[in-house]
Each structure stands twice: as structure tokens, then as C-alpha cells.
Amino acid sequence: MAPGGSACKEVIESHSPVADYDIASAKSESNNATSTTTTSTMKTSVNLVGKHGIHSNNGVYELLECPVCTNLMYPPIHQCPNGHTLCSNCKIRVHNCCPTCRYDLGNIRCLALEKVAESLELPCKYQNLGCQDIFPYYSKLKHEQHCRFRPYNCPYAGSDCSVTGDIPTLVSHLKDDHKVDMHDGCTFNHRYVKSNPHEVENATWMLTVFNCFGRQFCLHFEAFQLGMAPVYMAFLRFMGDDNEAKKFSYSLEVGANGRKLIWQGIPRSIRDSHRKVRDSQDGLVIQRNLALYFSGGDRQELKLRVTGRIWKEE
């Protein structure tokens, strides 16, 4: 969400053919609003390829756990004159004083332990989430940064949420904790409503999640400043990895009075943050004056209808 922005929550009022999404003064997630809805193995290089289903029985890797942060240590591994080891990050944190014996650490490298690490093969830390590969010690960390089984961040944009997990976990979390609207179908027709739109420069409307083709898609809509120009933006994110997202396409359309704006693209994976997608303008961007023109009336109230559909590329 943009700095100074706000989260806007909808309460379903009825079930008419069009969805109205409204925000109030937009100061917190509990702001009043209304809505009605009708929904019609990363393997980048040879040294990152793990051995599927093999588990190391070598207990030496326990020696490579930093006693301060308990993470695995990578070169340079430091040791004190008495042989106690710790990682380079924690060496700074303990102000160069051994946390075990209180001796000055100096700049002694534990080259023997670094050499031993080269002989180890360890399972990915996301083994419990489904990754069954093991990797040479010094390749493991790089693999984990791109492992397709690594947890996803919560895609909710209305507040800073630290929850992570697999897709089923996040779907339940969005439904139970954030109370987002969940709809079945691959077409949608929403109307986003806001009185006094000139008073709100940054705002986020409630996220909507669609179950389509057995997968989940997040529809975002928000107001923010693009340079000096106030704009609205709608875009779709896919709850899965980027390589899966590319199997789908979507379109968004707004218009009135014989005029239309149409956007067609590929949904971005939720691996990309909401802020990253928004700032890249990878979606339907509407200038505020045009959005109010499409809203009709005296242009003092936003009543912007956004229609769209999702389809699977063959």
C-alpha cells in the first residue's frame, strides 16, 4: 500500500447483478464500505540440481550451526582462540567477543570447518513443504532462495501482514482473518464506489479472490499518486509461482458514454509484492478525472464499474 494509504473493508449488502466497492475516509481496515457482487523446481544451474529423495546421514552439519543465531554458517566462519565458532553476522553482533568463553575473537578463520562443509549434502529447509531434494552445502542456500516450495507471503494489501504459508493456508487465512470476498467463476463485474474522491489520494479497496480453473486469483483496486497525477489502478495477481501464472491471461475493462479502456495481460505471481506490481503499472491505470467521467453524474462521486475475465492459455 502506498505511504499514507488506507485499508478499506467492504460489507456485503445484497446480491445484485453488479458489485459495489466503497471506501470511507480510509484510515484503517475497519472503515465502512459496501459491496455487492456477481461473479460470472527452480533448477537454474547444474550445481543447484538436488538429488531427489536422498537424505544425508552425516551429523557433522550440526557443528555448522551458529551458537548465537542457530542458522547454518557460511564462509567466513570465525573462531576464538579456544575453538568456539560463530558466523560472520553474529561476530559483529557480539562486538568481537566470544559468547561462549568471552575471549576476544580477533580475525581467526576456521578453515577446517569450512572445508568439512564442502563434503556435506543437506536437505532443503522446505522439506516439510514438499521439496525432497538435497544439495551440496554451499549450493543449498542459493537453492532455497528460489525453491518453488518456499512459503508465499500473504497477498493482502490493506495492511502489513507477516503471515506466510502454502497456497491452501493463505486462502484460509484470507477468508478467516482478513474476511476477503471469495467468489467462484472466471468473469466478474464490480463497481467501486467512493464519495468525495478528491479527498483521498491513497487508498486500497478490499481484496477480492476468485476461484477459477481450480486456482486462486487476487483482484486489487486502489488509488494513489502517479507522479503528480491522482490515478486508480486495477490488476490481478495469481496465487502460485510465476511459471504457473504465465499459463493464464486476463482482461479488465472500464467505460461509459461510448468510450472504453481495456487492459489485457498476464497475472503476476504473488511472489512479486503488491507494491512491486503497482509501481510497475502492470495493470489497468485510469486517471482520476477519466474515472469520474466514467462514473457519470456531477463527477463528485466515484462509481467506477470494472468488468473482467480470466482464461487459460492453450
Side-chain angles (χ1 to χ4, degrees):
M1 182 173 64
S6 54
C8 312
K9 185 176 182 180
E10 300 116 341
V11 178
I12 293 180
E13 222 173 43
S14 63
H15 295 280
S16 62
V18 177
D20 285 359
Y21 285 75
D22 188 13
I23 63 171
S25 59
K27 291 186 179 179
S28 70
E29 186 178 332
S30 62
N31 288 342
N32 294 326
T34 62
S35 70
T36 57
T37 302
T38 293
T39 62
S40 27
T41 306
M42 172 66 70
K43 295 185 178 180
T44 59
S45 61
V46 173
N47 70 336
L48 290 186
V49 178
K51 299 177 181 179
H52 182 75
I54 302 175
H55 301 276
S56 173
N57 293 319
N58 194 335
V60 179
Y61 71 87
E62 295 178 0
L63 297 174
L64 289 158
E65 290 184 354
C66 174
V68 178
C69 65
T70 71
N71 293 324
L72 292 176
M73 297 183 289
Y74 292 87
I77 299 174
H78 298 276
Q79 69 175 21
C80 76
N82 290 323
H84 303 123
T85 57
L86 79 167
C87 70
S88 56
N89 288 335
C90 289
K91 181 175 183 287
I92 298 172
R93 290 171 56 190
V94 300
H95 305 291
N96 209 40
C97 180
C98 176
T100 304
C101 66
R102 316 307 297 174
Y103 269 74
D104 186 1
L105 284 166
N107 291 303
I108 307 173
R109 288 269 297 272
C110 188
L111 299 177
L113 193 55
E114 292 178 9
K115 188 68 175 177
V116 167
E118 293 181 4
S119 67
L120 298 181
E121 291 184 330
L122 302 178
C124 172
K125 72 176 181 179
Y126 303 122
Q127 185 180 44
N128 64 329
L129 296 178
C131 185
Q132 298 300 310
D133 293 344
I134 69 167
F135 297 86
Y137 186 82
Y138 291 131
S139 298
K140 176 177 177 289
L141 187 62
K142 188 173 183 179
H143 158 78
E144 290 170 350
Q145 293 172 348
H146 302 281
C147 178
R148 66 187 183 94
F149 293 98
R150 71 192 189 277
Y152 295 88
N153 295 322
C154 172
Y156 189 76
S159 64
D160 293 328
C161 182
S162 60
V163 171
T164 63
D166 58 15
I167 298 302
T169 297
L170 290 183
V171 170
S172 297
H173 165 67
L174 289 170
K175 181 179 179 181
D176 299 336
D177 299 329
H178 292 300
K179 310 299 182 185
V180 305
D181 284 341
M182 313 286 287
H183 300 289
D184 295 324
C186 299
T187 62
F188 47 89
N189 185 349
H190 288 0
R191 189 169 62 175
Y192 294 95
V193 180
K194 174 68 182 78
S195 58
N196 301 318
H198 295 280
E199 297 178 4
V200 178
E201 301 295 344
N202 297 284
T204 299
W205 277 254
M206 174 62 84
L207 182 71
T208 305
V209 177
F210 296 96
N211 296 306
C212 177
F213 298 108
R215 307 306 298 266
Q216 289 74 39
F217 300 81
C218 301
L219 177 63
H220 297 264
F221 186 80
E222 62 182 270
F224 64 98
Q225 292 284 127
L226 186 58
M228 297 298 293
V231 299
Y232 298 98
M233 181 174 174
F235 57 93
L236 204 69
R237 286 200 294 166
F238 173 74
M239 294 188 70
D241 276 334
D242 184 61
N243 61 334
E244 297 177 288
K246 291 176 180 177
K247 298 176 183 178
F248 300 92
S249 293
Y250 75 102
S251 64
L252 298 171
E253 180 178 316
V254 296
N257 303 317
R259 296 165 177 82
K260 286 184 181 180
L261 283 179
I262 300 175
W263 163 267
Q264 181 174 319
I266 297 171
R268 295 281 286 270
S269 166
I270 60 171
R271 295 287 189 202
D272 290 333
S273 70
H274 154 267
R275 181 66 177 269
K276 180 179 180 180
V277 179
R278 193 206 71 180
D279 288 353
S280 69
Q281 302 172 44
D282 192 2
L284 177 63
V285 179
I286 312 119
Q287 297 287 333
R288 184 168 67 189
N289 286 340
L290 184 58
L292 294 177
Y293 175 74
F294 287 155
S295 299
D298 58 4
R299 304 189 188 186
Q300 298 303 307
E301 183 177 18
L302 179 72
K303 292 181 178 179
L304 186 66
R305 180 176 297 178
V306 178
T307 61
R309 70 184 185 96
I310 305 165
W311 65 94
K312 193 171 185 178
E313 298 290 351
E314 298 297 335

